[in-house]
Every structure is written in structure tokens, then in C-alpha cells.
Amino acid sequence: MLAGSQPYDRPLAALLIGFVAGMAVCDIFPDHGYEAAVSALVAGALLLHALRTARAVVFSPLLLFASLGYLSLHPWTTSNFPVDHFLHRILETPAPIVGTITETEAPVGDRSRFRLSIEQVADYPVSGGIRLTVAGYCSLQEGDRIRFATKLYPVRTHRNPGGFDVRRYLRFSGITGTAFVRSEAISLLDRRPSILSRLLQSQRMAIAASIDRTEGSDAARQILKAVLIGIRSGIPPETNDLFSVTGLSHLLAISGLHVGIVAACAFFLFYRLAACFKPLLLRALGKKTAALLTLVPVFAYGLLSGMSPSTQRAVLMASVVLVGLLVERDHEPFNTLALAAWGILIVHPPALFSISFQLSFVSVLAILTGTTLLMPYLPRPFGWREKLLLPVFVSVCATLGTLPLVMYYFQRVSIVGLAANALVVPMMSLLVIPVGLAGAVLHVLHLPWASLCFGIACHLLDIVLQLVRWFAAAPWASIVTIRPTVFELVWFGALIWLSVRTLFFRTLPNRPEAHPVRSDPSEGASPLSSVQSYRLAANARGVFLRWAWLALAVIGIADVGFWLNERFLHADLRVTVLDVGQGLSILVEEPGGRVMLIDGGGFADSTAFDVGRNIVAPALCARKILSIDRVVLTHPDSDHLNGLLYVLSHFSVGELWTNGRPSPDSAFGRFLDIVHRRNIPLIEGDVVPTALDEAGIAIHRLHPDPGFSPPQPPRKVPDTNNFSLVLSLRMGEIRFLFPSDIEKPAESWLVARAAERLRSTVLVAPHHGSKTSSSQAFIDAVQPDVVVFSAGTNRYIPHPDVLERYRRAGCRLLSTASCGAVEMRTDGRRLVLHVYESNTTNEEIAIDGDV
């Protein structure tokens, strides 16, 4: 039976592990639902047979729940869409679309985002969900049925080493397409929100409006709305960065801290009220009545705050504890946590892959594990020292437990986080949140003094903000870290598990009475045999732990050796054209570990999407690159410059090359401020070396030439493209040419003066393949074998005429828009290409150099 097997001492937790493992397998290997169903039937049959014969079982329950986990996630990962899905009716031209808004997202700049259930495309009934981006002011809300005309697109994600898979993230939310429309082009057909949704939304907006009318800084008011009702869209980006740098971002999201305060305050209040009724006290129903009534404000607060994954987990855990009081049973914390996870995963299986779900549960698991090991050594009752140190210990456990996930998802760790949490968290939990919650309750009940509570909370938050700014101003308040692989995350988890098991084993009393051995009474075991059995079991556990530590150490050393070779000891040249959309960013890894980054990509509005933070930095951290020997800004256009701002601010940079031409854009001013503030050596214009040899790599600057002037009338805007830095790299017989955004005038100049140095094996197409570049004379001079286009989804870039010219020249064409990042490795004679699709390598091409 289950109870007789050691892995099932905590059955909910053990079976959850199997369920989660099955979901992980489904995420990696989808479209095997038939095999999973067969496995579930076989495991179920084995389990039933074991139960009938009263035999202990270990593997069949795990296999059964792993199969069920696979089947639960399968509808979200399968590539087989229903016949009426809108992806089968995506048209080349805009079409009328009808759908209903299912969810509103936080606005980004002047754009609003909604999740829409599609009902009709071009008079055809369809199914499926899309993310709709609306430009301009928009008052749409959940439940609105709308009509508009636009073109639908499948969800596209940037595919890079270490990149976040937006396509999978949206697919797990039921979103498989995107669309863009202006607000004036939307027609409201019907407004039909549910009564509960309408009530909750009206209360949230009313509380938000009341907070906006209180005194205090705007940042404090926005933070108060975030921690009370879950509205985070108004928090200024600089405030978000301050809390991120100091490791306090979790305070801006509603989680167990907030729900726990609501539950504790409500239980205390209801228990005091129940004590006023003698019949309840005589029947010992005071605590039960308080627990039952406390469920109402706990669930009401969860609904009012938006029920994020962290809130769902906290509400479920609080509910389990309260129900335990009702049935007079103590709750086992690990099983309670597992039950909360079960509650979320059964309702929405893809929640497992959300960052908030993982961070929330791992932090609580780390806290429970740490406190379980610590509690036996603490005196009872707690003294003042224990009461002061216990919150610090809890913060340390949560920080260390979530450290690998923070490194994996954000590649940034706060050095001052422990101190900041120890000081700020008590202020938030004991002062700000209780006062703010009191104001929210008074406001919902239409009682006076709500504004006073909100005002006090805002003034307290201003003090908190001063503390946060003080911590953030500390040198090295946060650092960029490497991005661990999934294998390394598993290794770290095994390390923590083994450490806990070792500590627990060493604290066991060395006597059999403390842990009696279960034996069959019919065997008539004597005390001597019990002692011997205990010693044998203890010796076996000790041997297992020693071998486990040895295996873990060997695996860790092997992993370190592998990455040392990949980062510093490799003898080949590696060039990766990153998938940054309509822009350019090229990562060059030279033999011996030197790194050069050419441009950083970027959008005109970095507040909407920061390419440097979200694409370039993760790609560097995934390669274990924390310092860059040389950054090259070919010219200061936004699609080359803006992504470098984050990189220059957070990575160690040896030197910076630019073409020396300024730009009136504000981003260029921030660029210069960062360079001067961090004392990065700046090499500009003609000072950039024309020839350089390092680690067997010949680097040549081919353009701009001091005598160059575009042979065309002056433009209305400065001509930055034709003055771009043009670099050539050569290793042995393989050459790379990076012409940036030069156009036909600069191409003609290069062909006339440096034609013999243009011949290259690989060409990154000038100006992303625009029709203003890639002249026939330039192509004839370069004679590339491979042409890489760094482009987005613009249908005219690369231009069809340009593509045709390269095809006639016999070139192999690759575009980051269709195949993701393009990685090229060469030893000087052979060139090997890899293209990224969904962050995995899926193509390899070998080309012999003949230059």
C-alpha cells in the first residue's frame, strides 16, 4: 500500500512530483498523448492489482500521475489545432474580425493590450485566442464584444540562446495569434461582463481613484494600488528598477504576506466576536466559527486583487489551514503546500511554467525546509533574540532557495537584498499593508476614514521609497549573473536535497528507540535484532549519502570544465547574429575567450520592449559572458543603439568603438552619459584601428573613409546609414563582412576603393536587406556563400528584388525572422552554421572555405 512505502510519507507531495514530471516531459516531447494514455492505463492496472493483493507500491503511482500530468498539459502543447481554428484562415490582407475580450493586460506606453476570444474572421466562424494591441486611448473592458478589421499573425518569438519563449508563454495562456489596430477602428458590438466581474472591477477602480486623491508621491500611490488591489501598470519604470536592484520586487506583487495579514486580522476579529456569544463558547465552537467566517474575506480579497498565481497559492494554503481548524486536524506544511499546488494545476496546468508560480512555491518550500531543520534547536517559548532573528532566517531561506530561478529568468542578483528585506519587509507587513487594507475595507463598506488610512499608508511608503533608494545607491547593489542551464538547475536542486538529507541524518539520535524499525510480528524480532537492523539501515543511509555526494561533485566538476572550455579554451571563431527583430546585434567570440559585441538592436521606444535587457543580455549570460572586451556601435540609429544602453550599464566593457558621428536622439545622450559615468574607453571615427590582429583573427575597418561623402543631394535628416562602421573579420580561409546599414552610395565607394578586401564567405546583408542597399556591383564584389538578413516581420524587408539578386548569385539565404539567431563557427577552413528555432539547434551546414 502507499502508506507502507517511505516515498509516500507525504503522499500529496510525492504524487505531485510525478505529476509535474509528466508535465515537463509533455513540454519537451509534445504530441504523444496516445502513449501517455496507454502508460496511464498500465500504471492504473498495476496499482489496482497491488491494492487487491495488499502489496506495497512505489513506482506505479508515480507512473500513473506522471501520465496524468502529461495528458493534462497535452491540449496546450499539441501542434494539431481544431479545423475551425483561426490559424487555418489567416489571410494576406486585413479582414473583419469579431471577438470577445477575455482579459485586459497592463498598458505599455500609449498602447493597450487585450486577450480576445475570436468568433469570426471574414464571415467564417472560427475559434482560438489572440493578443490584441490597440494604439491610442481605449476604454474596453473584459466581456466586451468588438469588431475591427486588421491582419492576423501567428505569435512570433525572438529565438536566441537563453531567450524567453514568448510563443510558448502565450500558448499556455490560450493565445496563438496577434493583431494590431487603432482605437478608432474598433466598434463595440455588445458589453456583457459577468455581474461578479463588473462588481469587482468597479470596486477596484473606486479604490484606485480614492488612492489617487490622497496626498503623497505618485510612486507611493502607485505602489499602494499594486499591493492592495494588484494594479501595477502605473508604477514608474525607475521605481520598478529600484525594487529589482534591491531584491524587493516581491513586495510589489500580492502574495502570501498580504493574504496572511488578511487571514490573521479577520480570524482575530471573528474570534473576538464569537467570544461574545456564550452558546458558541460552551460548545467550543469559537475557533471553528472564526475559521469559517475568515474564509469569506480571504477569498474576497483574492478576487479583488486579481487572483494572480502567487495570490492563488496563498489563498489555497490559508484555506487549507482554516479548514484544518474546522475539522480539528493539524496541517502538515509540506502537504499543505502540495495541496495548494494541486489546486492551481488541476484548474490550469500551464501555470506550472509561469515565473510567479515557480518563484512563489520554491520560496515557500525553501522557508518550510529551513525552518523545519532550525526549529528543534530553538528554545520554547521564543526569546527576543529568536523573534528578531527568525524573520532574517526566513528571508535568507527564501533568497537562497529562489536564487537559481532568479539567475535563470532575470540574470540579476541583488547583493543588498538580505539587508533590504530585513528592514523593509517588517515595515511593509506591520505598517503599510495593514493600514492600507484597513482603508480598503472601510472604502468597500462605505465607512469614513478610508482616505485617512490611504494617506497614512502613502506617507509610510514614501519613507520606504527613501530606504529603497538608499540601498539601491550602494556600490554593486546588484550584479549581472550567468544564466544556469536546466541541467544546472536540477543539479542545484539535488544539492539542496542532499544537504537537507545529510543534515537530517546527522541530527538523528544514534539509538534505535528514536526510529524503530518496522518488522513483521510473526518473525518475533528480538531487541538485539532491532539494534542490528537499525545499525544496518543507518550504515546503508550513510553509504548512500557518501556515494551521492561523490556523484554530485563529479557532475559539478564536469559541468564547470565544460563551460570553461566553451568560454575560454575554445580554438574556433564563433559569430552569432542575434534575432532582435528589425535591428542588428552580432556577438563575436574569438579564440581564447575574447568577446566583441557589434550593435545591440533596439526599438524606437525602449519602454515598450528593451532589446538589451530582454534579448542581448540573456544571450550573453547564457554563454556565461559577464565581460565584453569590445563593443562596437556602427552608427547611432535606434535599432542599433538602444539595446546597448542596458549592456553598457550592467556589463564590464573593455573599450567602445563608434563612427564618431553624433545623433540628436535622447537615447544617444543617455548612451554618452553611461560611457562617461562608467569610464568606458571610447575610440571614435578615424581613431578606430584600420587593421588589428588578435588571437589569430584579422579585424579590418573598411569604412567610413575620411574622404567619403555621399554623391547625392542632402537629406532632410542626417545621413547616418552611409557613415556606418564596416568591419571585416578573417580567420584562415573564412571571412565575415559586417556592413551594418550602408546604402548604395557607400557600397559604390567601397567597391571602387576596396573591392579586393570585400570578398567574404559570410555577408550580413547591408541595411537588413532594404531595397536601398545590396547593389549588384556590391554583391559581385563580395561573392558571399552565405547571406544573413537581420530583420523582423516587415514584408518589404528583405526586399523581394534584393532576395532575387542574391539568389541569382547562388547564395544561401538565412533570415533571423524565419530561423531565429544564426550561429556560425569556424576553425579557419570549415564553416558550421546553426539556426535557432524555439531556442534549440535544428540545422547544421558545413561549408569549405575557398577564399
Side-chain angles (χ1 to χ4, degrees), residues 419-486:
N421 275 276
L423 189 59
V424 174
V425 169
M427 291 188 63
M428 293 290 291
S429 59
L430 299 178
L431 297 175
V432 176
I433 295 175
V435 173
L437 287 174
V441 172
L442 292 172
H443 188 279
V444 171
L445 298 178
H446 301 286
L447 297 175
W449 311 110
S451 297
L452 177 62
C453 291
F454 290 149
I456 294 174
C458 284
H459 286 301
L460 290 171
L461 277 172
D462 282 327
I463 298 175
V464 169
L465 280 170
Q466 291 297 329
L467 288 173
V468 173
R469 293 190 183 99
W470 182 76
F471 278 111
W476 298 95
S478 69
I479 59 172
V480 174
T481 68
I482 61 173
R483 184 180 189 267
T485 62
V486 175

Side-chain angles (χ1 to χ4, degrees), residues 376-409:
Y377 300 97
L378 296 180
R380 300 295 178 87
F382 291 162
W384 65 270
R385 293 181 179 177
E386 289 76 23
K387 291 180 179 178
L388 289 177
L389 293 178
L390 192 57
V392 177
F393 178 76
V394 167
S395 179
V396 170
C397 290
T399 301
L400 294 180
T402 57
L403 179 63
L405 287 177
V406 171
M407 294 172 62
Y408 182 80
Y409 286 114

Side-chain angles (χ1 to χ4, degrees), residues 632 634 657 659 685-686 688-692 698-708 722-730 735-740 742 745-760 762-763 778 781-782:
V632 179
T634 59
W657 290 4
N659 65 353
D686 297 339
V688 174
T690 56
L692 190 64
I699 305 174
H700 294 276
R701 172 177 66 86
L702 306 181
H703 192 70
D705 190 277
F708 171 74
N722 280 305
F723 289 91
S724 300
L725 280 174
V726 176
L727 300 181
S728 172
L729 269 66
R730 176 170 182 167
R735 281 184 180 175
F736 298 85
L737 182 62
F738 308 129
S740 187
I742 63 170
E747 290 178 356
S748 300
W749 179 276
L750 282 170
V751 169
R753 290 164 176 78
E756 70 284 352
R757 291 186 293 170
L758 293 178
R759 177 78 170 90
S760 300
V762 178
L763 168 68
F778 182 77
V782 179

Side-chain angles (χ1 to χ4, degrees), residues 193-449:
S194 65
I195 296 176
L196 179 61
S197 175
R198 188 186 311 167
L199 177 62
L200 292 174
Q201 187 66 16
S202 63
Q203 288 294 339
R204 295 179 78 192
M205 292 301 101
I207 293 174
S210 180
I211 293 175
D212 286 333
R213 291 192 296 268
T214 59
E215 295 183 358
S217 66
D218 179 65
R221 291 195 295 268
Q222 301 302 329
I223 292 174
L224 186 60
K225 287 193 289 186
V227 299
L228 292 185
I229 53 179
I231 299 178
R232 299 185 57 179
S233 58
I235 299 178
E238 55 272 15
T239 302
N240 269 319
D241 287 341
L242 288 174
F243 276 76
S244 176
V245 166
T246 53
L248 296 169
S249 295
H250 61 93
L251 293 179
L252 301 180
I254 295 176
S255 61
L257 177 66
H258 310 71
V259 176
I261 292 173
V262 171
C265 294
F267 184 84
F268 175 81
L269 176 62
F270 290 134
Y271 184 68
R272 290 299 181 185
L273 290 176
C276 299
F277 296 91
K278 290 185 178 180
L280 294 177
L281 293 179
L282 292 175
R283 293 176 174 82
L285 296 177
K287 288 186 177 181
K288 291 184 178 181
T289 303
L292 182 62
L293 294 175
T294 301
L295 289 172
V296 177
V298 165
F299 274 93
Y301 178 65
L303 292 172
L304 185 65
S305 62
M307 273 295 183
S308 66
S310 58
T311 309
Q312 295 173 27
R313 184 264 306 164
V315 168
L316 285 170
M317 289 194 67
S319 301
V320 171
V321 174
L322 293 171
V323 171
L325 291 175
L326 285 174
V327 299
E328 298 182 345
R329 293 191 62 179
D330 294 334
H331 71 95
E332 205 283 329
F334 291 96
N335 270 334
T336 301
L337 181 64
L339 183 60
W342 276 113
I344 295 174
L345 295 180
I346 290 174
V347 174
H348 186 62
L352 173 68
F353 301 94
S354 69
I355 299 173
S356 59
F357 179 94
Q358 295 177 14
L359 290 175
S360 177
F361 277 89
V362 168
S363 64
V364 176
L365 179 61
I367 292 171
L368 291 178
T369 303
T371 52
T372 300
L373 292 174
L374 180 67
M375 284 303 174
Y377 300 97
L378 296 180
R380 300 295 178 87
F382 291 162
W384 65 270
R385 293 181 179 177
E386 289 76 23
K387 291 180 179 178
L388 289 177
L389 293 178
L390 192 57
V392 177
F393 178 76
V394 167
S395 179
V396 170
C397 290
T399 301
L400 294 180
T402 57
L403 179 63
L405 287 177
V406 171
M407 294 172 62
Y408 182 80
Y409 286 114
F410 305 109
Q411 298 88 48
R412 191 172 178 180
V413 171
S414 174
I415 302 300
V416 299
L418 290 177
N421 275 276
L423 189 59
V424 174
V425 169
M427 291 188 63
M428 293 290 291
S429 59
L430 299 178
L431 297 175
V432 176
I433 295 175
V435 173
L437 287 174
V441 172
L442 292 172
H443 188 279
V444 171
L445 298 178
H446 301 286
L447 297 175
W449 311 110

Side-chain angles (χ1 to χ4, degrees), residues 489-502 549 552-553:
L489 290 179
V490 174
W491 181 89
F492 184 83
L495 175 66
I496 296 298
W497 177 83
L498 195 57
S499 300
V500 171
R501 297 291 295 180
T502 303
W549 275 110
L552 206 62

Side-chain angles (χ1 to χ4, degrees), residues 578-766:
L578 297 176
D579 177 12
V580 293
Q582 195 63 44
L584 179 67
S585 184
I586 304 171
L587 175 62
V588 179
E589 300 171 77
E590 300 175 9
R594 290 183 61 87
V595 175
M596 176 166 61
L597 179 64
I598 303 174
D599 292 331
F603 294 158
D605 182 10
S606 293
T607 59
F609 186 81
D610 189 339
V611 171
R613 178 193 295 268
N614 297 302
I615 294 179
V616 181
L620 293 170
C621 295
R623 297 288 185 85
K624 317 299 190 201
I625 296 172
L626 299 179
S627 63
I628 307 170
D629 297 279
R630 179 180 302 114
V631 171
V632 179
L633 174 63
T634 59
H635 66 296
D637 282 2
S638 61
D639 59 338
H640 295 248
L641 165 66
N642 286 1
L644 289 179
L645 300 181
Y646 183 87
V647 174
L648 294 174
S649 298
H650 295 89
F651 288 77
S652 174
V653 177
E655 63 182 17
L656 175 64
W657 290 4
T658 74
N659 65 353
R661 300 180 70 85
S663 170
D665 195 344
S666 61
F668 187 73
R670 296 199 304 273
F671 166 78
L672 293 178
D673 290 341
I674 295 170
V675 171
H676 295 149
R677 175 165 49 84
R678 303 205 66 197
N679 296 318
I680 300 174
L682 182 60
I683 303 173
E684 302 180 277
D686 297 339
V687 184
V688 174
T690 56
L692 190 64
D693 193 315
E694 54 188 22
I697 307 299
I699 305 174
H700 294 276
R701 172 177 66 86
L702 306 181
H703 192 70
D705 190 277
F708 171 74
S709 60
Q712 58 185 24
R715 300 181 177 183
K716 294 182 180 179
V717 295
D719 182 4
T720 58
N721 289 338
N722 280 305
F723 289 91
S724 300
L725 280 174
V726 176
L727 300 181
S728 172
L729 269 66
R730 176 170 182 167
M731 181 179 186
E733 300 175 353
I734 303 296
R735 281 184 180 175
F736 298 85
L737 182 62
F738 308 129
S740 187
D741 276 3
I742 63 170
E743 298 175 342
K744 292 177 181 178
E747 290 178 356
S748 300
W749 179 276
L750 282 170
V751 169
R753 290 164 176 78
E756 70 284 352
R757 291 186 293 170
L758 293 178
R759 177 78 170 90
S760 300
T761 313
V762 178
L763 168 68
V764 178

